Amino acid sequence: MLTHTSNSMKAFKILVLMLAFGRCALAEIVDPVGFYRSSTQYPAPSALLKWNADINGDGKNETFLIRKADYDADVAVHQLPSWEVFIANTTANTFMESTGIQDEGEELFGIAGVPQVDIGACFVGQVTELGKHALVTMQVDTPRVGNPIARIYAYTIEGDHLKRSKLAEYPATQGNPLFDKYLKEGKRTVITPAEINS
């Protein structure tokens, strides 16, 4: 009986080590574009859009990717594109794929686990309300009844995932000091994604 328990414990430890090793192996992505194209999670697209930005101010750029067809489809229906994020490792020239988004204690994965970023109205840099570097963007929701609601979000890097913090929520028809501070013309970060063809 003792031997069975010892063997079970040993098998469990080996499984934990294998999972940890697999997690580390996944975290070491040298080429985000190549990984994105070759992953079974993302069937090979004909064209991608890519942009880079240093979200956490560590001097290394994160990589943002989306299929161009998906981007065009989102824009056509006035929806914010969802960008896959590859976080730059601080100790090596490699990346790890973001594992999701934490939003007010709730873990978001899958489609909900990638940030929706309006590259025409975003800011990357020091966000005084958080006391750290972040990516700031805005989302406008139009309910069936009532006025559109604008929400300003900041995304920060927390280990292997992003954290989303709501900085402001207000009627989209009104002004907001945080919009003026980060997102109005002259304050926002100019992002021009590169098109990468297969």
Side-chain angles (χ1 to χ4, degrees), residues 156-182:
T156 54
I157 295 175
E158 305 288 333
D160 64 354
H161 64 278
L162 301 178
K163 179 179 178 182
R164 184 174 75 176
S165 302
K166 185 165 58 175
L167 300 181
E169 180 174 328
Y170 59 97
T173 54
Q174 298 178 7
N176 184 275
L178 289 181
F179 178 90
D180 294 342
K181 183 176 181 179
Y182 296 113

PDB file of all heavy atoms in Angstrom, residues 156-182:
ATOM      1  N   THR A 156      -2.389  46.858 -18.133  1.00  0.00           N
ATOM      2  CA  THR A 156      -1.035  46.723 -17.611  1.00  0.00           C
ATOM      3  C   THR A 156      -0.627  45.257 -17.697  1.00  0.00           C
ATOM      4  O   THR A 156      -1.479  44.369 -17.829  1.00  0.00           O
ATOM      5  CB  THR A 156      -0.953  47.194 -16.145  1.00  0.00           C
ATOM      6  OG1 THR A 156      -1.945  46.495 -15.364  1.00  0.00           O
ATOM      7  CG2 THR A 156      -1.186  48.687 -16.030  1.00  0.00           C
ATOM      8  N   ILE A 157       0.665  45.015 -17.630  1.00  0.00           N
ATOM      9  CA  ILE A 157       1.174  43.639 -17.657  1.00  0.00           C
ATOM     10  C   ILE A 157       1.367  43.174 -16.229  1.00  0.00           C
ATOM     11  O   ILE A 157       2.004  43.837 -15.421  1.00  0.00           O
ATOM     12  CB  ILE A 157       2.495  43.558 -18.437  1.00  0.00           C
ATOM     13  CG1 ILE A 157       2.247  43.900 -19.908  1.00  0.00           C
ATOM     14  CG2 ILE A 157       3.124  42.175 -18.298  1.00  0.00           C
ATOM     15  CD1 ILE A 157       3.494  43.976 -20.740  1.00  0.00           C
ATOM     16  N   GLU A 158       0.795  42.015 -15.935  1.00  0.00           N
ATOM     17  CA  GLU A 158       0.919  41.391 -14.611  1.00  0.00           C
ATOM     18  C   GLU A 158       1.433  39.969 -14.818  1.00  0.00           C
ATOM     19  O   GLU A 158       0.649  39.044 -14.990  1.00  0.00           O
ATOM     20  CB  GLU A 158      -0.440  41.364 -13.895  1.00  0.00           C
ATOM     21  CG  GLU A 158      -1.126  42.706 -13.765  1.00  0.00           C
ATOM     22  CD  GLU A 158      -0.457  43.618 -12.759  1.00  0.00           C
ATOM     23  OE1 GLU A 158       0.181  43.102 -11.819  1.00  0.00           O
ATOM     24  OE2 GLU A 158      -0.559  44.844 -12.922  1.00  0.00           O
ATOM     25  N   GLY A 159       2.745  39.808 -14.858  1.00  0.00           N
ATOM     26  CA  GLY A 159       3.319  38.474 -15.083  1.00  0.00           C
ATOM     27  C   GLY A 159       3.046  37.986 -16.490  1.00  0.00           C
ATOM     28  O   GLY A 159       3.492  38.591 -17.461  1.00  0.00           O
ATOM     29  N   ASP A 160       2.249  36.903 -16.602  1.00  0.00           N
ATOM     30  CA  ASP A 160       1.986  36.300 -17.914  1.00  0.00           C
ATOM     31  C   ASP A 160       0.645  36.719 -18.507  1.00  0.00           C
ATOM     32  O   ASP A 160       0.169  36.117 -19.461  1.00  0.00           O
ATOM     33  CB  ASP A 160       2.053  34.773 -17.819  1.00  0.00           C
ATOM     34  CG  ASP A 160       0.969  34.190 -16.911  1.00  0.00           C
ATOM     35  OD1 ASP A 160       0.230  34.976 -16.259  1.00  0.00           O
ATOM     36  OD2 ASP A 160       0.855  32.958 -16.850  1.00  0.00           O
ATOM     37  N   HIS A 161       0.007  37.738 -17.934  1.00  0.00           N
ATOM     38  CA  HIS A 161      -1.293  38.168 -18.449  1.00  0.00           C
ATOM     39  C   HIS A 161      -1.432  39.691 -18.344  1.00  0.00           C
ATOM     40  O   HIS A 161      -0.562  40.364 -17.816  1.00  0.00           O
ATOM     41  CB  HIS A 161      -2.435  37.470 -17.691  1.00  0.00           C
ATOM     42  CG  HIS A 161      -2.493  37.835 -16.238  1.00  0.00           C
ATOM     43  ND1 HIS A 161      -1.699  37.242 -15.287  1.00  0.00           N
ATOM     44  CD2 HIS A 161      -3.243  38.754 -15.569  1.00  0.00           C
ATOM     45  CE1 HIS A 161      -1.959  37.764 -14.100  1.00  0.00           C
ATOM     46  NE2 HIS A 161      -2.890  38.687 -14.242  1.00  0.00           N
ATOM     47  N   LEU A 162      -2.532  40.184 -18.874  1.00  0.00           N
ATOM     48  CA  LEU A 162      -2.831  41.610 -18.793  1.00  0.00           C
ATOM     49  C   LEU A 162      -3.876  41.852 -17.710  1.00  0.00           C
ATOM     50  O   LEU A 162      -4.702  40.990 -17.431  1.00  0.00           O
ATOM     51  CB  LEU A 162      -3.386  42.118 -20.129  1.00  0.00           C
ATOM     52  CG  LEU A 162      -2.494  41.950 -21.358  1.00  0.00           C
ATOM     53  CD1 LEU A 162      -3.207  42.469 -22.599  1.00  0.00           C
ATOM     54  CD2 LEU A 162      -1.167  42.640 -21.187  1.00  0.00           C
ATOM     55  N   LYS A 163      -3.821  43.029 -17.128  1.00  0.00           N
ATOM     56  CA  LYS A 163      -4.852  43.447 -16.184  1.00  0.00           C
ATOM     57  C   LYS A 163      -5.546  44.665 -16.784  1.00  0.00           C
ATOM     58  O   LYS A 163      -4.883  45.594 -17.252  1.00  0.00           O
ATOM     59  CB  LYS A 163      -4.247  43.805 -14.837  1.00  0.00           C
ATOM     60  CG  LYS A 163      -5.282  44.264 -13.826  1.00  0.00           C
ATOM     61  CD  LYS A 163      -4.641  44.584 -12.496  1.00  0.00           C
ATOM     62  CE  LYS A 163      -5.678  45.080 -11.508  1.00  0.00           C
ATOM     63  NZ  LYS A 163      -5.069  45.445 -10.214  1.00  0.00           N
ATOM     64  N   ARG A 164      -6.882  44.644 -16.791  1.00  0.00           N
ATOM     65  CA  ARG A 164      -7.653  45.764 -17.314  1.00  0.00           C
ATOM     66  C   ARG A 164      -8.279  46.532 -16.161  1.00  0.00           C
ATOM     67  O   ARG A 164      -8.985  45.969 -15.340  1.00  0.00           O
ATOM     68  CB  ARG A 164      -8.742  45.267 -18.274  1.00  0.00           C
ATOM     69  CG  ARG A 164      -9.522  46.398 -18.931  1.00  0.00           C
ATOM     70  CD  ARG A 164     -10.488  45.893 -19.973  1.00  0.00           C
ATOM     71  NE  ARG A 164     -11.647  45.273 -19.338  1.00  0.00           N
ATOM     72  CZ  ARG A 164     -12.697  44.811 -20.010  1.00  0.00           C
ATOM     73  NH1 ARG A 164     -12.726  44.866 -21.332  1.00  0.00           N
ATOM     74  NH2 ARG A 164     -13.718  44.271 -19.368  1.00  0.00           N
ATOM     75  N   SER A 165      -8.009  47.832 -16.130  1.00  0.00           N
ATOM     76  CA  SER A 165      -8.575  48.699 -15.096  1.00  0.00           C
ATOM     77  C   SER A 165      -9.432  49.761 -15.772  1.00  0.00           C
ATOM     78  O   SER A 165      -9.002  50.383 -16.743  1.00  0.00           O
ATOM     79  CB  SER A 165      -7.459  49.394 -14.305  1.00  0.00           C
ATOM     80  OG  SER A 165      -6.586  48.455 -13.718  1.00  0.00           O
ATOM     81  N   LYS A 166     -10.629  49.953 -15.258  1.00  0.00           N
ATOM     82  CA  LYS A 166     -11.503  50.986 -15.808  1.00  0.00           C
ATOM     83  C   LYS A 166     -11.145  52.317 -15.164  1.00  0.00           C
ATOM     84  O   LYS A 166     -11.240  52.482 -13.950  1.00  0.00           O
ATOM     85  CB  LYS A 166     -12.974  50.639 -15.566  1.00  0.00           C
ATOM     86  CG  LYS A 166     -13.926  51.629 -16.218  1.00  0.00           C
ATOM     87  CD  LYS A 166     -15.357  51.119 -16.295  1.00  0.00           C
ATOM     88  CE  LYS A 166     -15.918  50.779 -14.954  1.00  0.00           C
ATOM     89  NZ  LYS A 166     -17.341  50.392 -15.004  1.00  0.00           N
ATOM     90  N   LEU A 167     -10.732  53.271 -16.010  1.00  0.00           N
ATOM     91  CA  LEU A 167     -10.363  54.595 -15.509  1.00  0.00           C
ATOM     92  C   LEU A 167     -11.537  55.552 -15.475  1.00  0.00           C
ATOM     93  O   LEU A 167     -11.583  56.457 -14.645  1.00  0.00           O
ATOM     94  CB  LEU A 167      -9.250  55.195 -16.379  1.00  0.00           C
ATOM     95  CG  LEU A 167      -7.937  54.418 -16.474  1.00  0.00           C
ATOM     96  CD1 LEU A 167      -6.952  55.162 -17.362  1.00  0.00           C
ATOM     97  CD2 LEU A 167      -7.346  54.168 -15.091  1.00  0.00           C
ATOM     98  N   ALA A 168     -12.486  55.375 -16.414  1.00  0.00           N
ATOM     99  CA  ALA A 168     -13.629  56.299 -16.480  1.00  0.00           C
ATOM    100  C   ALA A 168     -14.777  55.641 -17.223  1.00  0.00           C
ATOM    101  O   ALA A 168     -14.581  54.783 -18.080  1.00  0.00           O
ATOM    102  CB  ALA A 168     -13.233  57.585 -17.183  1.00  0.00           C
ATOM    103  N   GLU A 169     -15.991  56.050 -16.854  1.00  0.00           N
ATOM    104  CA  GLU A 169     -17.211  55.661 -17.565  1.00  0.00           C
ATOM    105  C   GLU A 169     -18.113  56.881 -17.585  1.00  0.00           C
ATOM    106  O   GLU A 169     -18.362  57.486 -16.543  1.00  0.00           O
ATOM    107  CB  GLU A 169     -17.903  54.487 -16.876  1.00  0.00           C
ATOM    108  CG  GLU A 169     -19.172  54.041 -17.571  1.00  0.00           C
ATOM    109  CD  GLU A 169     -19.764  52.782 -16.964  1.00  0.00           C
ATOM    110  OE1 GLU A 169     -19.008  51.933 -16.462  1.00  0.00           O
ATOM    111  OE2 GLU A 169     -21.005  52.655 -16.980  1.00  0.00           O
ATOM    112  N   TYR A 170     -18.587  57.240 -18.792  1.00  0.00           N
ATOM    113  CA  TYR A 170     -19.350  58.480 -18.910  1.00  0.00           C
ATOM    114  C   TYR A 170     -20.181  58.455 -20.190  1.00  0.00           C
ATOM    115  O   TYR A 170     -19.894  57.665 -21.111  1.00  0.00           O
ATOM    116  CB  TYR A 170     -18.401  59.688 -18.909  1.00  0.00           C
ATOM    117  CG  TYR A 170     -17.381  59.669 -20.017  1.00  0.00           C
ATOM    118  CD1 TYR A 170     -17.582  60.373 -21.205  1.00  0.00           C
ATOM    119  CD2 TYR A 170     -16.209  58.931 -19.888  1.00  0.00           C
ATOM    120  CE1 TYR A 170     -16.643  60.353 -22.232  1.00  0.00           C
ATOM    121  CE2 TYR A 170     -15.264  58.904 -20.908  1.00  0.00           C
ATOM    122  CZ  TYR A 170     -15.486  59.612 -22.072  1.00  0.00           C
ATOM    123  OH  TYR A 170     -14.565  59.574 -23.078  1.00  0.00           O
ATOM    124  N   PRO A 171     -21.219  59.291 -20.273  1.00  0.00           N
ATOM    125  CA  PRO A 171     -21.988  59.379 -21.512  1.00  0.00           C
ATOM    126  C   PRO A 171     -21.084  59.838 -22.655  1.00  0.00           C
ATOM    127  O   PRO A 171     -20.363  60.836 -22.525  1.00  0.00           O
ATOM    128  CB  PRO A 171     -23.066  60.425 -21.207  1.00  0.00           C
ATOM    129  CG  PRO A 171     -23.162  60.446 -19.716  1.00  0.00           C
ATOM    130  CD  PRO A 171     -21.788  60.133 -19.212  1.00  0.00           C
ATOM    131  N   ALA A 172     -21.088  59.084 -23.757  1.00  0.00           N
ATOM    132  CA  ALA A 172     -20.172  59.360 -24.863  1.00  0.00           C
ATOM    133  C   ALA A 172     -20.399  60.731 -25.483  1.00  0.00           C
ATOM    134  O   ALA A 172     -19.502  61.272 -26.139  1.00  0.00           O
ATOM    135  CB  ALA A 172     -20.302  58.270 -25.923  1.00  0.00           C
ATOM    136  N   THR A 173     -21.574  61.301 -25.274  1.00  0.00           N
ATOM    137  CA  THR A 173     -21.872  62.623 -25.844  1.00  0.00           C
ATOM    138  C   THR A 173     -21.233  63.754 -25.032  1.00  0.00           C
ATOM    139  O   THR A 173     -21.233  64.899 -25.464  1.00  0.00           O
ATOM    140  CB  THR A 173     -23.395  62.841 -25.898  1.00  0.00           C
ATOM    141  OG1 THR A 173     -23.943  62.628 -24.584  1.00  0.00           O
ATOM    142  CG2 THR A 173     -24.039  61.880 -26.890  1.00  0.00           C
ATOM    143  N   GLN A 174     -20.718  63.433 -23.853  1.00  0.00           N
ATOM    144  CA  GLN A 174     -20.085  64.441 -23.005  1.00  0.00           C
ATOM    145  C   GLN A 174     -18.565  64.314 -23.070  1.00  0.00           C
ATOM    146  O   GLN A 174     -18.031  63.279 -23.465  1.00  0.00           O
ATOM    147  CB  GLN A 174     -20.539  64.276 -21.552  1.00  0.00           C
ATOM    148  CG  GLN A 174     -22.027  64.477 -21.355  1.00  0.00           C
ATOM    149  CD  GLN A 174     -22.438  64.255 -19.912  1.00  0.00           C
ATOM    150  OE1 GLN A 174     -21.606  64.083 -19.035  1.00  0.00           O
ATOM    151  NE2 GLN A 174     -23.745  64.263 -19.669  1.00  0.00           N
ATOM    152  N   GLY A 175     -17.865  65.336 -22.661  1.00  0.00           N
ATOM    153  CA  GLY A 175     -16.413  65.294 -22.590  1.00  0.00           C
ATOM    154  C   GLY A 175     -15.953  64.605 -21.318  1.00  0.00           C
ATOM    155  O   GLY A 175     -16.750  64.313 -20.421  1.00  0.00           O
ATOM    156  N   ASN A 176     -14.635  64.334 -21.257  1.00  0.00           N
ATOM    157  CA  ASN A 176     -14.067  63.716 -20.064  1.00  0.00           C
ATOM    158  C   ASN A 176     -12.609  64.145 -19.937  1.00  0.00           C
ATOM    159  O   ASN A 176     -11.867  64.105 -20.922  1.00  0.00           O
ATOM    160  CB  ASN A 176     -14.174  62.192 -20.159  1.00  0.00           C
ATOM    161  CG  ASN A 176     -13.676  61.512 -18.900  1.00  0.00           C
ATOM    162  OD1 ASN A 176     -12.490  61.270 -18.761  1.00  0.00           O
ATOM    163  ND2 ASN A 176     -14.593  61.214 -17.984  1.00  0.00           N
ATOM    164  N   PRO A 177     -12.183  64.533 -18.734  1.00  0.00           N
ATOM    165  CA  PRO A 177     -10.796  64.994 -18.568  1.00  0.00           C
ATOM    166  C   PRO A 177      -9.753  63.914 -18.870  1.00  0.00           C
ATOM    167  O   PRO A 177      -8.661  64.232 -19.336  1.00  0.00           O
ATOM    168  CB  PRO A 177     -10.727  65.447 -17.111  1.00  0.00           C
ATOM    169  CG  PRO A 177     -11.945  64.897 -16.447  1.00  0.00           C
ATOM    170  CD  PRO A 177     -12.971  64.695 -17.499  1.00  0.00           C
ATOM    171  N   LEU A 178     -10.078  62.644 -18.626  1.00  0.00           N
ATOM    172  CA  LEU A 178      -9.112  61.578 -18.922  1.00  0.00           C
ATOM    173  C   LEU A 178      -8.984  61.355 -20.426  1.00  0.00           C
ATOM    174  O   LEU A 178      -7.909  61.016 -20.921  1.00  0.00           O
ATOM    175  CB  LEU A 178      -9.487  60.275 -18.212  1.00  0.00           C
ATOM    176  CG  LEU A 178      -9.284  60.277 -16.699  1.00  0.00           C
ATOM    177  CD1 LEU A 178      -9.659  58.928 -16.104  1.00  0.00           C
ATOM    178  CD2 LEU A 178      -7.842  60.616 -16.343  1.00  0.00           C
ATOM    179  N   PHE A 179     -10.080  61.548 -21.151  1.00  0.00           N
ATOM    180  CA  PHE A 179      -9.991  61.492 -22.607  1.00  0.00           C
ATOM    181  C   PHE A 179      -9.056  62.601 -23.095  1.00  0.00           C
ATOM    182  O   PHE A 179      -8.171  62.371 -23.921  1.00  0.00           O
ATOM    183  CB  PHE A 179     -11.364  61.640 -23.254  1.00  0.00           C
ATOM    184  CG  PHE A 179     -11.308  61.642 -24.764  1.00  0.00           C
ATOM    185  CD1 PHE A 179     -11.408  60.452 -25.472  1.00  0.00           C
ATOM    186  CD2 PHE A 179     -11.129  62.817 -25.474  1.00  0.00           C
ATOM    187  CE1 PHE A 179     -11.321  60.440 -26.862  1.00  0.00           C
ATOM    188  CE2 PHE A 179     -11.051  62.826 -26.856  1.00  0.00           C
ATOM    189  CZ  PHE A 179     -11.150  61.623 -27.556  1.00  0.00           C
ATOM    190  N   ASP A 180      -9.245  63.799 -22.563  1.00  0.00           N
ATOM    191  CA  ASP A 180      -8.408  64.935 -22.960  1.00  0.00           C
ATOM    192  C   ASP A 180      -6.944  64.703 -22.584  1.00  0.00           C
ATOM    193  O   ASP A 180      -6.035  65.109 -23.311  1.00  0.00           O
ATOM    194  CB  ASP A 180      -8.897  66.224 -22.296  1.00  0.00           C
ATOM    195  CG  ASP A 180     -10.280  66.641 -22.789  1.00  0.00           C
ATOM    196  OD1 ASP A 180     -10.705  66.157 -23.862  1.00  0.00           O
ATOM    197  OD2 ASP A 180     -10.932  67.436 -22.088  1.00  0.00           O
ATOM    198  N   LYS A 181      -6.719  64.022 -21.477  1.00  0.00           N
ATOM    199  CA  LYS A 181      -5.366  63.803 -20.975  1.00  0.00           C
ATOM    200  C   LYS A 181      -4.598  62.775 -21.801  1.00  0.00           C
ATOM    201  O   LYS A 181      -3.383  62.927 -22.022  1.00  0.00           O
ATOM    202  CB  LYS A 181      -5.444  63.348 -19.513  1.00  0.00           C
ATOM    203  CG  LYS A 181      -4.105  63.148 -18.834  1.00  0.00           C
ATOM    204  CD  LYS A 181      -4.326  62.792 -17.375  1.00  0.00           C
ATOM    205  CE  LYS A 181      -3.002  62.598 -16.646  1.00  0.00           C
ATOM    206  NZ  LYS A 181      -3.205  62.271 -15.225  1.00  0.00           N
ATOM    207  N   TYR A 182      -5.295  61.717 -22.254  1.00  0.00           N
ATOM    208  CA  TYR A 182      -4.605  60.605 -22.913  1.00  0.00           C
ATOM    209  C   TYR A 182      -4.998  60.365 -24.372  1.00  0.00           C
ATOM    210  O   TYR A 182      -4.167  59.907 -25.160  1.00  0.00           O
ATOM    211  CB  TYR A 182      -4.851  59.300 -22.141  1.00  0.00           C
ATOM    212  CG  TYR A 182      -4.286  59.305 -20.752  1.00  0.00           C
ATOM    213  CD1 TYR A 182      -5.125  59.279 -19.642  1.00  0.00           C
ATOM    214  CD2 TYR A 182      -2.914  59.342 -20.536  1.00  0.00           C
ATOM    215  CE1 TYR A 182      -4.608  59.281 -18.354  1.00  0.00           C
ATOM    216  CE2 TYR A 182      -2.391  59.345 -19.251  1.00  0.00           C
ATOM    217  CZ  TYR A 182      -3.241  59.307 -18.160  1.00  0.00           C
ATOM    218  OH  TYR A 182      -2.720  59.322 -16.893  1.00  0.00           O
TER     219      TYR A 182
END
